[in-house]
Amino acid sequence: MGAPRPKPGRNKARKGKIATIVRLAPGIEERVQLRERWSHKAFGTAETHEFAQAELRREGAIARLVVTGALDVHQLAAAEEIATAHQVITADVAVRTARYEPRGTGGGPNAASAERVGAVLREMAYSRWREAIGVDGAMLLAIIVDDMGLVEAARRWRMSNRRAKAILIRALDGWKRV
C-alpha cells in the first residue's frame, strides 16, 4: 500500500516485453485510486480532501430551486442579501475600537455618526422583514441561512411542499418591498 504503483511501459531488462499492469482487488483498487488522486496534498487524508471537493460541487437549496425554475434570479439575490444580513446581525464576535481622548463637537471619521449607512439600512430592512414573515420565520431562516432543503423544511414544520414553497416565494418577494 505504501509503495507507488508501477507504471505500465516497456521493460528495459527484457526487450520487447510489456510490463504487466498491476490490478488490485475491487475494494482495494478504489482506495488506491483515491490515495493516488490526492497524493500531491501534504496535509489531510484523501477522504477529507474528497469530501471537501464534493462539498464545493454541491449547490445550495436556494440555487437548486433557481435551476428548477421555482425561483428567479431576483429572489436568489434577495435570499443572499437576507443571509448576509442575518450573519452580520448574529455574528458572535465584533471588533470594536475605543478612544480615551475627549470627543470633539464635530463629526469626522471617528465620530459615532460615521457608521456605514448601508449596514444600518440592511439591519432595519432585516428587522422589518422578520416582523413581516411572522410565525414562518424559523422555517424560512432554515431554508435561506442554514441551507435546508425545501422538502425537509416542509416535513419538519408539518406542511405541504407546495405551501412551504409559496411561503418562501412570498417572503423573498417581500424582501424587495422592505
Side-chain angles (χ1 to χ4, degrees), residues 51-169:
F51 179 77
Q53 188 68 24
E55 281 296 309
L56 289 176
R57 283 180 292 203
R58 181 179 162 264
E59 293 180 353
I62 299 290
R64 287 192 305 269
L65 289 171
V66 172
V67 170
T68 61
L71 299 178
D72 61 8
V73 291
H74 300 292
Q75 292 164 336
L76 173 66
E80 290 174 355
E81 289 178 16
I82 291 167
T84 302
H86 177 79
Q87 289 169 353
V88 168
I89 290 171
T90 60
D92 291 334
V93 178
V95 178
R96 301 214 177 222
T97 59
R99 289 184 138 204
Y100 294 111
E101 295 135 10
R103 288 189 188 200
T105 57
N110 295 322
S113 62
E115 189 175 6
R116 292 188 5 224
V117 175
V120 173
L121 292 175
R122 185 183 310 121
E123 287 185 26
M124 289 173 52
Y126 180 78
S127 298
R128 283 188 299 221
W129 180 78
R130 282 298 305 259
E131 290 172 6
I133 59 176
V135 297
D136 298 319
M139 180 190 71
L140 292 170
L141 288 179
I143 295 170
I144 295 169
V145 176
D146 298 332
D147 198 29
M148 180 184 289
L150 185 69
V151 174
E152 183 183 347
R155 202 174 293 140
R156 183 174 290 176
W157 274 272
R158 295 186 175 128
M159 63 178 67
S160 68
N161 297 344
R162 193 171 35 193
R163 182 170 177 233
K165 184 171 120 181
I167 291 170
L168 176 65
I169 290 171

Side-chain angles (χ1 to χ4, degrees), residues 19-32:
T20 59
I21 299 174
V22 176
R23 297 276 180 218
L24 302 172
I28 298 172
E29 181 72 30
E30 287 81 16
R31 173 77 177 122
V32 170

